[in-house]
Amino acid sequence: MTGDDQDRTVFDPDRTVFDPAGIGADQGAGGATSRPPAGGTAIKVGDILNHMFAVTGFLARGGMGEVFVGANVITDERVAIKVMLPALAADPNVITLFRREAKTLTRLHHEAVVQYRVLAQEPELGVLYIVTEYIEGTGLSDVLATLRPSPEDLGALLRRLASGLAAAHALDAIHRDVSPDNVLLPGGRLGGAKLIDFGIAKDLDPGTATVIGDGFAGKLGYVAPEQLGDFGRTLGPWTDVYSLGLVILAVARGSDLGLGGTLVDAVDKRRAGLDLAAVPMPLRSVVAGMVRPDPADRLRSMGAVLAALDGAEVPGAAATSSLPRWWPAAAALVLMLLVAVGWFAMRSDAPTERTPSIAVAADPVARARDAIDAALPSVSCTWLRIVSVSPSAGGPRVALTGVAGNPTQAQTEIVRTLQAQGLTASAIDFAEVSPITQSGCAALDAFRQIRTTGRNRLSVPQRRFEMRTQTAGTAYEGKVAASAVIGIAIGDPSLDFALVGLEPSGAIDMLIPSRAAFAEQVRRSRDGLPITDLGGDRYRMQLDLDHEGWSGLLLVTGKGPFDAKVIAPPLGQRDAAWRTTLVQRAAEHGWQADMIWFRSVDDEKD
């Protein structure tokens, strides 16, 4: 270690920080009075570290170090002391990684994570150690079978842990071992749950590494498929999203999920899918979005999980939130923390196209786009897409398209999202956003709960189609109508799907009820229209419209059949019971929704 390194590990008693001490495994049979195994660290019970922390007992031995119980000799506060194993401490590179990890986590303060007290080096013994708060509590894994959480309790637990992980992700650290073993319940209370053992946290910068490298970390029972070698092995916030979903499912079931075994068994069990029947509605739809095997289809960030909780109106899920209900996305809380500490240069190494994320790019335009992407799913009575975000002297100019029940309120929420990043938009352009009636709001709010993440499966080459007199052989021969061209990209022939037409008035019509019916339309099409097979499960479809104004197309993918009473109920039948049924069916059959809006105009009238 260099002289500069020595200077940077000076004991700092005023610095408060966070990281569970990894108390999970190999606990001494005698509890805090047990001795560490032979060949352990250079410290022992009775030592005083930096004239500040008395070592009073041995707690546990983990993969990276040993954990002792101790006390602050000045304040008498009980603490946990984590010391690096000698075999690792002998490697300067490992020391650098240990310090880098601890320095990252010491910036994190959240009620749902155990707090660091200090990272220090004992000058006489030469050991590097971390001091954390000591939690007197029960491991979640030890009480799974005895818990009987209400839907409100389960929703509050998910929100609490997701919020804590969102704060960690905002510092570019992922946990990679979220499991019941690493959740402590102070006083046995589910509502006070705290995440522990970020000892395997990984910097999201692909140019960095951790003590255990970039490969598998964590227990087989709760890791994400990408940690087992599937889907490119690329890890990120979405990895913790999957594991947290499994934890919530285990709590709902009251038992371990049995997803471990051999590596091959673990992979096969995840590919087979999960039974979510134990998770109460409407929380089930959120958990379903968290545990999709393919990271590209999964909720991509804890901000997206929190926004989904808001959108699903999970009972009790807002109880632990410090944000008002009007806040556009829980991801904004993370952004506010970044403003407070001056961290504005974060990034995501996701392997797919741009998706809503809590990671923040250095470029103001990219930052604005990411923040708005994360916020849109939670803006009530809307279905919006970004058209463009462009730079200007007064701040980014943002243009959107889609529909909104209250465009002014939607604009206000987007402005607040940008302000949370320290950005001021010079303009929020809603020129291509159509107002929708309150009758249409019920459908939008329901379908938004199952909105696909990570990809758009519907597209249009333009959002404005001119109405002209139609030629012979067309649907509106001799009449004035517009021909809208829609791109459809399913990309998975195993998925069934349905297409539904929508209008701002709230009218919904089932157009094509299944893949089989769609295939028949493709077969009947002439000259590539109205449906052309482009290959790769991609299609181009023409929709003829005999009315001016906005029209929408909804695509629902998943396991059929798609009951028209559930997918396209008439006006007057879209109550809370219908929304619950829709979300429940979506969770059971893996339904996901995408929507596109476009406009037919008659320029000849002007």
Side-chain angles (χ1 to χ4, degrees):
M1 194 178 283
T2 66
D4 179 58
D5 287 330
Q6 293 280 1
D7 291 340
R8 291 165 62 189
T9 57
V10 172
F11 175 74
D12 181 358
D14 295 324
R15 194 172 185 185
T16 56
V17 237
F18 144 95
D19 174 276
I23 311 177
D26 298 334
Q27 296 204 16
T33 62
S34 300
R35 296 290 301 176
T41 64
I43 73 170
K44 62 184 184 301
V45 174
D47 286 339
I48 306 293
L49 307 179
N50 292 89
H51 308 287
M52 180 66 72
F53 298 102
V55 181
T56 60
F58 173 70
L59 280 176
R61 181 184 178 95
M64 188 170 161
E66 292 177 337
V67 185
F68 294 80
V69 65
N72 185 312
V73 297
I74 297 176
T75 66
D76 289 329
E77 178 195 17
R78 200 177 189 192
V79 297
I81 302 170
K82 185 174 183 178
V83 186
M84 185 186 296
L85 290 174
L88 296 176
D91 186 339
N93 293 327
V94 172
I95 292 176
T96 299
L97 294 173
F98 182 84
R99 293 180 62 252
R100 176 190 295 161
E101 175 182 86
K103 287 173 65 179
T104 297
L105 294 170
T106 57
R107 298 185 180 95
L108 181 57
H109 304 271
H110 195 281
E111 63 180 2
V113 293
V114 175
Q115 292 290 306
Y116 266 113
R117 293 293 181 252
V118 71
L119 164 67
Q121 186 170 22
E122 164 46 49
E124 295 184 9
L125 298 176
V127 296
L128 195 63
Y129 65 96
I130 297 172
V131 177
T132 76
E133 66 173 319
Y134 181 87
I135 300 297
E136 193 74 57
T138 306
L140 179 60
S141 59
D142 296 328
V143 296
L144 276 179
T146 64
L147 293 174
R148 297 292 184 271
S150 66
E152 292 79 6
D153 291 339
L154 204 58
L157 176 65
L158 175 53
R159 179 175 291 277
R160 179 181 176 86
L161 297 182
S163 179
L165 286 166
H169 295 167
L171 296 178
D172 281 0
I174 55 175
H175 192 291
R176 300 206 302 178
D177 194 16
V178 178
S179 68
D181 285 342
N182 285 328
V183 177
L184 281 182
L185 307 180
R189 296 180 301 103
L190 198 63
K194 287 180 179 283
L195 287 158
I196 66 169
D197 203 0
F198 272 72
I200 58 171
K202 173 184 180 293
D203 194 306
L204 294 181
D205 184 344
T208 66
T210 63
V211 171
I212 59 170
D214 292 325
F216 166 77
K219 303 171 183 65
L220 284 176
Y222 291 87
V223 296
E226 57 268 27
Q227 290 175 275
L228 300 172
D230 269 3
F231 306 107
R233 301 182 69 231
T234 303
L235 310 186
W238 50 91
T239 304
D240 284 348
V241 167
Y242 185 93
S243 296
L244 181 57
L246 294 189
V247 169
I248 298 303
L249 177 56
V251 175
R253 287 188 184 178
S255 65
D256 185 78
L257 302 179
L259 296 178
T262 67
L263 184 62
V264 173
D265 289 339
V267 171
D268 289 344
K269 289 172 181 175
R270 283 155 178 76
R271 290 176 178 174
L274 301 168
D275 180 3
L276 303 180
V279 182
M281 297 300 300
L283 182 60
R284 189 181 306 165
S285 65
V286 180
V287 175
M290 298 173 68
V291 297
R292 293 179 182 128
D294 189 341
D297 295 334
R298 194 182 306 157
L299 292 175
R300 299 284 293 170
S301 70
M302 291 301 166
V305 171
L306 293 165
L309 282 171
D310 287 337
E313 297 184 356
V314 175
T320 60
S321 174
S322 60
L323 295 177
R325 292 290 299 173
W326 49 258
W327 200 256
L333 174 60
V334 176
L335 299 175
M336 290 178 66
L337 292 173
L338 298 180
V339 172
V341 298
W343 278 69
F344 293 106
M346 295 179 293
R347 54 192 291 272
S348 172
D349 58 355
T352 58
E353 61 186 275
R354 179 183 301 277
T355 59
S357 172
I358 60 170
V360 182
D363 176 35
V365 170
R367 286 167 53 200
R369 179 182 289 274
D370 285 346
I372 295 169
D373 271 342
L376 290 182
S378 68
V379 181
S380 61
C381 192
T382 64
W383 196 289
L384 299 171
R385 284 186 179 181
I386 296 175
V387 175
S388 64
V389 182
S390 55
S392 69
R397 298 178 59 88
V398 181
L400 297 105
T401 189
V403 292
N406 188 332
T408 300
Q409 180 180 341
Q411 285 176 300
T412 299
E413 294 189 4
I414 292 170
V415 168
R416 285 172 175 156
T417 297
L418 294 177
Q419 289 175 341
Q421 268 193 282
L423 294 171
T424 301
S426 60
I428 304 292
D429 185 356
F430 265 43
E432 295 192 10
V433 174
S434 171
I436 191 169
T437 66
Q438 289 302 307
S439 298
C441 284
L444 287 182
D445 288 342
F447 287 121
R448 215 174 53 250
Q449 293 184 46
I450 62 171
R451 184 171 183 168
T452 185
T453 58
R455 64 185 66 176
N456 290 324
R457 286 175 164 163
L458 293 177
S459 61
V460 287
Q462 60 201 58
R463 287 167 296 280
R464 178 186 174 104
F465 297 93
E466 294 184 8
M467 302 182 71
R468 296 187 176 90
T469 301
Q470 299 295 298
T471 59
T474 59
Y476 295 104
E477 179 179 342
K479 297 181 180 179
V480 176
S483 297
V485 178
I486 314 294
I488 304 173
I490 308 297
D492 185 351
S494 69
L495 291 177
D496 200 356
F497 62 86
L499 287 166
V500 178
L502 307 101
E503 296 180 11
S505 65
I508 304 178
D509 295 303
M510 179 72 83
L511 301 180
I512 300 178
S514 66
R515 180 184 280 272
F518 185 84
E520 179 63 19
Q521 291 292 330
V522 174
R523 188 185 66 81
R524 293 181 179 181
S525 298
R526 300 188 304 272
D527 301 325
L529 293 173
I531 304 177
T532 303
D533 188 342
L534 302 177
D537 209 19
R538 296 180 301 113
Y539 308 90
R540 183 176 63 243
M541 181 173 71
Q542 176 178 305
L543 282 180
D544 294 330
L545 310 164
D546 65 344
H547 63 276
E548 285 188 87
W550 289 85
S551 299
L553 183 67
L554 171 73
L555 170 71
V556 181
T557 60
K559 182 180 178 181
F562 300 98
D563 186 346
K565 294 180 180 178
V566 177
I567 298 296
L571 288 170
Q573 297 183 18
R574 302 173 196 167
D575 55 10
W578 165 68
R579 293 194 295 271
T580 299
T581 299
L582 173 67
V583 174
Q584 183 174 0
R585 293 282 185 89
E588 293 170 348
H589 301 296
W591 291 354
Q592 295 186 59
D594 193 22
M595 191 183 298
I596 197 77
W597 288 85
F598 43 89
R599 189 177 185 183
S600 51
V601 296
D602 189 354
D603 289 336
E604 295 181 2
K605 286 186 176 181
D606 298 334

